[in-house]
Amino acid sequence: VLVGALRDEAARLGAGRPFVLLARALQGTPVESGLREALPTCVVHAAPFEHVPPVAVLTAAAAAADCGADLVVAVGGGSALDT
């Protein structure tokens, strides 16, 4: 259900290059596979986000800008969402 809803929302927003902030613990899991299925053109950024130091936010923002992201999706715990 989540995969379909995410795909539909990205399409509704006209997103062509989603940027996914993924909790590192979810890397290589069915959650990541589902995200890639729902958003086949996405770029996944799975860096450690513990305590969200400013450099982590700046690094993620630069990566999103570099890939031309037009949508940001955060998946995981609080740190991924805070980033």
Side-chain angles (χ1 to χ4, degrees):
V1 171
L2 178 61
V3 170
L6 184 56
R7 181 180 334 156
D8 293 348
E9 186 64 9
R12 186 185 72 76
L13 294 170
R17 191 61 160 171
F19 184 79
V20 177
L21 290 162
L22 182 68
R24 185 168 275 188
L26 297 175
Q27 209 171 8
T29 69
V31 172
E32 182 180 3
S33 300
L35 287 165
R36 290 184 183 277
E37 177 187 332
L39 305 170
T41 61
C42 75
V43 171
V44 175
H45 183 75
F49 303 114
E50 286 187 42
H51 310 298
V52 196
V55 70
V57 176
L58 294 172
T59 300
D66 288 347
C67 76
D70 56 5
L71 174 69
V72 175
V73 178
V75 180
S79 293
L81 301 178
D82 291 346
T83 302

